[in-house]
Amino acid sequence: MVDPRGFLKVRDRELPPRRPVPLRLMDWREVHEKQSQDQLQRQAGRCMDCGIPFCHNACPLGNLIPEWNDLVSRGDMHEAIERLHATNNFPEFTGKLCPAPCESACVLGINQPPVTIKQVEVMIAETAAENGWLEPRPPERLTGKTVAVVGSGPAGLAAAQQLTRAGHTVAVYERDDKVGGLMRYGIPEFKMERSVLDRRLAQMEAEGTRFRPGVDIGTDITGEQLRERYDAVVVATGATQWRDVDLPGRDLDGVHQAMQYLPPTNRVAVGEPRPDDYIDAAGLDVVVVGGGDTGSDCYGTALRQGARSVTQLDIYPKAPGERSENEPWPTVPKVFSVSSSHEEGGQRRFSASTQALVGDEHGRVKALRIVEVRKVDGVWTPVEGTEQDLPAQLVLLAIGFTGPEQGDLVHQLGLSADERTRFTRTPGYATGTPGVFVAGDAGRGQSLIVWAIAEGRACAAAVDEYLMGDTALPAPVRADAAPLTA
């Protein structure tokens, strides 16, 4: 450690400033400004280099957090990216998009604000990109084995890069016109710019990974054909089947799923032509149903489109500002948080349940009927006299996903699903069909990006062992591993 008393000398948690709200609402660029190197080193120097670093326990990747915090505090950014890459293929993805369970488990967080682990991670990756340190690492020799990866989200990309570097010939299939899964069109540009994704894809192509966008496996190529063509198949299609509501007025015009709204909007944000299914919130009263990250993404997107008003509904009560007694360290607590989108305008309503969607004479939504709820004996119960109608000409449903889509591919590859529609697999990611493996949200269910990358890496190790008899690839998590908190 540069200074073993660093956490005593620097007690404040400092993050880089966000761009002014009026300015960032005029564009789609990322909201954060760049952090100064001096501030970054001070914050990294707060790491206590604990004897038992609980941040490791909370991170399914097993990121070597105390090691690269120490290197950053010394100013050795080149060695820091080497240690970061030892466990994480895409640290800028997790640094920008992961909710950082590692920070909830930071030992310093017992009685001080935790180390800014996520920010240190992303600055290591950004510095590496600026200095040309994200060099391709092609294999020294080829094995002659071939692998197909179905799906190009974080799990699929992590598995593909690991297997390519092990010497296998890997092709990644993506049904969209460009590679990246939800990171391409599901995540708004103001959270992670597409250039961040593209530079990693360029690295992977230089290493030998082959990308096949615009191919719908199960339709354009059958599962049987895929198995005949490749020695192994990794299914990493994600959990993209959205959860719907069964309410009066659900079929009204102007009621859409979040993932019907965000992708076409994100296409326009990066300069692509406006698609026919583009949904414009300009001048409308927008209500977002769902209090999670996807709802927040819709919130910030509608504000940038020029919505007249934006309201986000959360059925849960407003969380406390600090960790509660029944969520002790090092579990991940439910605390009140304010995303960058929430800073930009609009309002949030808690303990609010949707009762019906109200339409006008033209069959278009004009209001959302809500009521305040409380949990009584485990059941959400309306509070008498609290019913009201919120004006809404656009309603966006952001209430999560139920699991992977159950299309033709499931039958063609002989996959089976559990009661939550997740594809079943062994702790070693293998399915009941020889040579077919499942990684990421398709097997785990809707989860965090850090879990997707960890599963992609571990699944790659399982595939490598299947093909070669043994493997030297790391396997950070089993398929049945549970997070620190469910």
Side-chain angles (χ1 to χ4, degrees):
M1 299 175 69
V2 173
D3 185 352
R5 297 176 60 82
F7 67 96
L8 295 174
K9 295 178 179 178
V10 181
R11 301 182 68 89
D12 292 333
R13 176 182 165 94
E14 297 176 292
L15 293 168
R18 291 168 175 169
R19 295 191 295 130
V21 169
L23 182 63
R24 68 192 197 220
L25 284 178
M26 297 173 63
D27 59 43
W28 296 90
R29 289 175 44 221
E30 287 190 26
V31 301
H32 289 96
E33 297 180 352
K34 185 175 179 180
Q35 189 172 30
S36 70
Q37 185 67 20
D38 288 344
Q39 187 185 72
L40 179 69
Q41 289 182 227
R42 286 197 307 271
Q43 289 300 302
R46 296 179 68 234
C47 180
M48 300 167 68
D49 193 20
C50 308
I52 300 178
F54 277 80
C55 53
H56 284 189
N57 191 45
C59 177
L61 282 166
N63 279 338
L64 307 172
I65 295 167
E67 293 187 31
W68 40 260
N69 270 331
D70 179 53
L71 289 165
V72 170
S73 68
R74 297 173 186 272
D76 190 349
M77 301 295 281
H78 188 275
E79 185 60 26
I81 190 62
E82 292 299 312
R83 301 310 294 146
L84 192 45
H85 277 154
T87 57
N88 189 350
N89 299 69
F90 314 118
E92 57 273 67
F93 298 173
T94 50
K96 293 175 183 290
L97 303 176
C98 180
C102 53
E103 293 186 8
S104 298
C106 174
V107 176
L108 184 59
I110 294 175
N111 59 6
Q112 284 189 38
V115 176
T116 58
I117 299 171
K118 177 177 172 176
Q119 180 61 26
V120 174
E121 178 181 35
V122 76
M123 282 300 297
I124 295 172
E126 291 297 327
T127 301
E130 291 170 4
N131 287 276
W133 298 337
L134 304 184
E135 297 177 349
R137 299 180 181 179
E140 295 181 358
R141 63 179 181 84
L142 295 178
T143 65
K145 302 292 185 179
T146 58
V147 183
V149 177
V150 184
S152 65
L157 293 180
Q161 186 167 60
Q162 292 293 95
L163 289 166
T164 297
R165 290 175 174 179
H168 307 304
T169 300
V170 181
V172 179
Y173 289 90
E174 169 58 54
R175 66 182 177 185
D176 276 340
D177 58 340
K178 291 184 179 179
V179 173
L182 289 182
M183 292 187 297
R184 171 66 65 182
Y185 295 124
I187 302 295
E189 189 82 350
F190 57 79
K191 287 183 69 175
M192 187 181 81
E193 295 180 7
R194 296 302 164 268
S195 59
V196 175
L197 171 62
D198 289 336
R199 72 192 182 204
R200 281 296 180 180
L201 297 179
Q203 180 195 40
M204 292 179 66
E205 282 190 303
E207 292 171 347
T209 302
R210 303 171 183 180
F211 294 114
R212 302 286 186 264
V215 180
D216 188 359
I217 300 298
T219 303
D220 300 327
I221 300 175
T222 67
E224 293 89 350
Q225 291 172 329
L226 206 65
R227 290 189 64 208
E228 291 174 2
R229 189 177 303 180
Y230 295 92
D231 297 309
V233 176
V234 176
V235 177
T237 52
T240 55
Q241 187 64 51
W242 54 63
R243 182 174 285 107
D244 214 324
V245 295
D246 183 16
L247 291 172
R250 170 61 183 89
D251 57 346
L252 291 169
D253 289 342
V255 182
H256 304 277
Q257 287 284 346
M259 285 303 155
Q260 293 175 311
Y261 172 66
L262 289 172
T265 307
N266 292 334
R267 287 178 180 273
V268 173
V270 297
E272 294 186 17
R274 180 167 169 160
D276 293 338
D277 58 351
Y278 182 80
I279 300 169
D280 196 347
L284 304 180
D285 297 304
V286 180
V287 176
V288 181
V289 180
D293 287 342
T294 302
S296 173
D297 294 344
C298 293
Y299 191 107
T301 298
L303 288 170
R304 281 163 177 75
Q305 287 182 315
R308 177 166 52 199
S309 69
V310 181
T311 304
Q312 184 176 11
L313 304 181
D314 193 336
I315 196 170
Y316 292 98
K318 185 176 179 180
E322 297 181 354
R323 183 190 295 272
S324 62
E325 292 183 358
N326 63 347
E327 293 177 322
W329 175 91
T331 60
V332 180
K334 295 179 178 65
V335 296
F336 181 69
S337 62
V338 178
S339 73
S340 62
S341 296
H342 297 143
E343 297 174 339
E344 296 166 352
Q347 64 171 328
R348 302 164 74 182
R349 299 283 297 270
F350 298 92
S351 299
S353 176
T354 304
Q355 301 295 293
L357 297 144
V358 182
D360 60 18
E361 64 273 17
H362 303 293
R364 184 169 184 85
V365 66
K366 69 174 184 179
L368 198 73
R369 185 159 297 151
I370 66 171
V371 65
E372 183 181 336
V373 291
R374 295 175 185 163
K375 234 174 189 180
V376 179
D377 297 328
V379 178
W380 293 112
T381 305
V383 177
E384 188 176 349
T386 61
E387 189 176 279
Q388 69 174 112
D389 286 358
L390 293 179
Q393 299 85 49
L394 175 60
V395 175
L396 302 172
L397 304 176
I399 51 178
F401 302 86
T402 61
E405 296 175 26
Q406 307 291 312
D408 292 337
L409 181 65
V410 175
H411 309 292
Q412 294 168 5
L413 290 180
L415 303 178
S416 59
D418 63 14
E419 67 281 359
R420 292 174 56 188
T421 73
R422 303 172 301 184
F423 297 144
T424 55
R425 59 205 179 153
T426 69
Y429 299 90
T431 68
T433 304
V436 178
F437 299 79
V438 171
D441 288 3
R444 172 167 289 273
Q446 183 184 3
S447 188
L448 307 180
I449 187 171
V450 68
W451 276 97
I453 296 174
E455 285 217 357
R457 288 171 64 87
C459 183
V463 173
D464 189 43
E465 184 175 9
Y466 169 79
L467 295 173
M468 307 303 293
D470 60 6
T471 183
L473 294 178
V477 292
R478 286 164 43 113
D480 58 352
L484 193 60
T485 54

